């Protein structure tokens, strides 16, 4: 109620998504849970990508963190392909890899430009 009065919708959205995930996981539906995971990953990265684009600035951002996490995700996706993991899981991690590399490229571009 406090969040609603202050018009701060982030805690409410977080609670709804968290309850949604719990309900899906309780049903043991891998494809549904991975779909929710992919959507939340996209939402998380889109705000960062938009912030870089809007401000045209990456000051205070560690671009190498994005790169190292991206390399780790690339290795994870390769490992999943070799071990024939569920396609839904591979898609989620591939999306994660692509978006973090977009963040790295944006941070690198804006830091080198400034």
């Amino acid at each position: 109620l406090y969040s609603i009065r202050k018009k701060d919708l982030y805690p409410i959205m977080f609670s709804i998504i968290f309850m949604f995930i719990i309900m899906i996981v309780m049903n043991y539906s891998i494809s549904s849970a991975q779909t929710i995971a992919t959507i939340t990953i996209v939402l998380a990265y889109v705000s960062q990508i938009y912030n870089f684009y809007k401000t045209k600035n990456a000051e205070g951002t560690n671009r190498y963190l994005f790169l190292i996490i991206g390399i780790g995700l690339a290795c994870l996706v390769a490992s999943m392909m070799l071990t024939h993991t569920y396609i839904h899981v591979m898609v989620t991690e591939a999306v994660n890899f692509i978006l973090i590399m977009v963040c790295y490229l944006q941070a690198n571009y804006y830091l080198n430009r400034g």
Side-chain angles (χ1 to χ4, degrees):
L1 292 174
Y2 177 77
S3 295
I4 292 172
R5 286 187 197 146
K6 292 195 61 128
K7 299 193 187 309
D8 182 14
L9 298 179
Y10 180 77
I12 295 168
M13 293 299 292
F14 177 80
S15 299
I16 291 170
I17 291 171
F18 184 73
M19 289 187 314
F20 212 9
I21 291 171
I22 288 175
M23 287 173 30
I24 290 171
V25 170
M26 287 175 60
N27 290 327
Y28 299 108
S29 173
I30 291 175
S31 62
S32 299
Q34 285 303 132
T35 301
I36 296 295
T38 304
I39 291 168
T40 56
I41 286 171
V42 168
L43 291 175
Y45 282 117
V46 164
S47 65
Q48 181 65 55
I49 291 168
Y50 178 72
N51 185 46
F52 281 146
Y53 178 75
K54 185 175 120 184
T55 63
K56 305 279 192 250
N57 187 5
E59 200 65 37
T61 303
N62 187 347
R63 61 185 162 188
Y64 297 114
L65 176 65
F66 292 133
L67 181 62
I68 291 169
I69 293 172
I71 291 169
L73 286 169
C75 293
L76 180 64
V77 170
S79 173
M80 288 178 177
M81 292 169 92
L82 292 172
T83 58
H84 305 291
T85 304
Y86 290 114
I87 189 71
H88 297 97
V89 178
M90 284 192 285
V91 168
T92 299
E93 295 308 326
V95 167
N96 196 359
F97 167 72
I98 291 166
L99 291 172
I100 204 157
M101 292 313 294
V102 169
C103 286
Y104 166 73
L105 292 171
Q106 280 186 306
N108 195 40
Y109 175 75
Y110 292 126
L111 287 171
N112 285 337
R113 215 178 73 166

